[in-house]
Amino acid sequence: MKTKIFSLMLLSAMAFGLASCSEDELDNKSIFSETGELNNDFDKWIYSNYTIPYNIRLIYQMDDIESDYQYTLAPADVKNSIKLAHIVKYAWIDAYSEVAGTKFMKTYVPKILHFIGSSGYNNTGTEILGTAEGGIKVTLYKVNNLKVDRAILNEYYFMTMHHEFSHILHQTKNYTTDYDLISEGDYVSGDWYLYTDQQANMKGFCTAYAMSEPREDIAEMTGLYLTTDKAKWDGMIANAGTEGASKLQQKLNIVRDYMQEAWDIDIDELRDVVQRRMEDIVSGKVDIDSLDK
């Protein structure tokens, strides 16, 4: 299981975990039944836009089998679920498809997306924002708090999606172990939450959570780079100090080379597409309420 957590005291903590995927040949037959009843227009829209093209099951109604019993959870608001379904498809799935092709996404995209209305709260003062399980299922929380705001969308949803997807890619084709050596000796395992992002930047990590271990570090680098515009990224590098900036640049170079050599994806082109599509969302150019298509 992968968990992204938000510290109520430290404001910038995120956690993710290991994912896996398969290199089996793509099968055109859906893993989901095509005889199930489609109850409403949203169900039909999901079937046409997620299940048919990408073999994805999107669950927005509260399903206790798919939910985590240790939390008291609320179901997702249907109107917000419709908005988020549009946003995830346009700004994440379609962004990768535009750069890498639809077959790439059909092969590697997680097959279950699960929307929960509320957060899961721990007794340690942390708030669960997203989880992922085995590269197959991603759960997004706080759907009832959805706001069409770039910072909120990235923090609550898209860092989770990009981070988790990078784990799937890394499990399929390994990145060079040279990455693990850049900050060797500076990883702090479960104590990452004791650091601020600024302190992490000074040590060569893009976020505090990146300090937990190398595989989370590279996933954080990938997710943050894709969801951060150039001006903000350059500002982080400028404020990281000489040592921190050098390590961050070394790590980004490895991420850039990995995506190009392993997947024939120009990560800078992908970031431009992600940023453009996100701007389309927040500026209102994309209809995120209609179920016509």
Side-chain angles (χ1 to χ4, degrees):
M1 173 184 282
K2 181 216 76 173
T3 304
K4 174 184 175 185
I5 63 175
F6 176 77
S7 171
L8 299 179
M9 299 178 65
L10 296 180
L11 296 184
S12 60
M14 289 179 290
F16 306 82
L18 186 62
S20 62
C21 58
S22 170
E23 293 186 85
D24 293 342
E25 288 296 319
L26 182 64
D27 190 339
N28 290 327
K29 184 177 180 181
S30 174
I31 64 173
F32 304 114
S33 172
E34 297 185 7
T35 61
E37 182 179 359
L38 301 178
N39 297 317
N40 55 47
D41 289 341
F42 187 28
D43 293 330
K44 295 174 183 176
W45 185 92
I46 291 170
Y47 189 72
S48 296
N49 289 274
Y50 276 85
T51 308
I52 292 297
Y54 293 104
N55 202 18
I56 297 172
R57 179 186 179 196
L58 194 159
I59 304 169
Y60 66 95
Q61 296 174 324
M62 181 62 76
D63 186 339
D64 60 348
I65 298 298
E66 298 291 347
S67 303
D68 194 324
Y69 290 159
Q70 68 178 310
Y71 303 116
T72 301
L73 302 172
D77 175 79
V78 175
K79 290 183 178 180
N80 280 3
S81 295
I82 292 172
K83 293 178 190 292
L84 186 57
H86 275 286
I87 294 169
V88 167
K89 182 177 184 299
Y90 186 84
W92 181 62
I93 295 175
D94 291 350
Y96 268 97
S97 295
E98 180 178 335
V99 175
T102 56
K103 184 177 180 180
F104 171 85
M105 285 304 283
K106 287 179 181 180
T107 303
Y108 299 110
V109 70
K111 297 306 178 185
I112 299 176
L113 294 180
H114 187 203
F115 291 174
I116 296 291
S118 59
S119 295
Y121 293 95
N122 293 315
N123 57 12
T124 57
T126 57
E127 179 184 16
I128 303 300
L129 297 183
T131 62
E133 301 169 36
I136 299 297
K137 172 184 170 184
V138 172
T139 300
L140 298 177
Y141 294 77
K142 297 196 77 165
V143 175
N144 295 347
N145 297 90
L146 177 70
K147 296 185 187 307
V148 185
D149 172 87
R150 183 188 296 269
I152 291 175
L153 290 173
N154 283 335
E155 180 180 356
Y156 289 174
Y157 314 110
F158 285 96
M159 270 295 292
T160 298
M161 305 301 290
H162 288 294
H163 178 116
E164 175 59 27
F165 195 49
S166 70
H167 277 315
I168 294 173
L169 299 183
H170 298 155
Q171 283 290 295
T172 306
K173 298 181 181 181
N174 290 331
Y175 61 89
T176 175
T177 54
D178 290 347
Y179 189 100
D180 301 3
L181 303 178
I182 296 173
S183 291
E184 188 177 27
D186 288 333
Y187 292 102
V188 297
S189 189
D191 289 336
W192 61 269
Y193 68 92
L194 298 175
Y195 296 82
T196 66
D197 282 344
Q198 177 60 35
Q199 290 172 326
N201 296 164
M202 298 289 289
K203 287 180 170 289
F205 299 94
C206 64
T207 66
Y209 181 65
M211 299 179 72
S212 61
E213 57 181 310
R215 66 184 178 85
E216 300 302 335
D217 187 1
I218 192 170
E220 285 286 273
M221 280 291 293
T222 305
L224 190 66
Y225 188 71
L226 291 172
T227 56
T228 303
D229 62 38
K230 186 178 186 303
K232 188 173 180 180
W233 182 270
D234 290 347
M236 180 188 73
I237 298 296
N239 293 324
T242 302
E243 180 181 357
S246 175
K247 289 182 178 180
L248 285 167
Q249 190 58 53
Q250 291 178 61
K251 291 175 180 180
L252 178 59
N253 290 341
I254 289 178
V255 170
R256 183 179 284 116
D257 290 344
Y258 167 79
M259 293 295 285
Q260 186 67 62
E261 294 168 6
W263 302 105
D264 195 25
I265 292 175
D266 182 332
I267 196 171
D268 295 297
E269 178 188 0
L270 179 58
R271 181 170 73 157
D272 289 344
V273 172
V274 168
Q275 296 295 318
R276 167 171 51 81
R277 286 177 172 272
M278 184 61 74
E279 179 59 29
D280 289 345
I281 294 291
V282 299
S283 66
K285 291 182 180 179
V286 178
D287 184 354
I288 60 174
D289 297 294
S290 173
L291 296 175
D292 291 339
K293 296 181 181 180

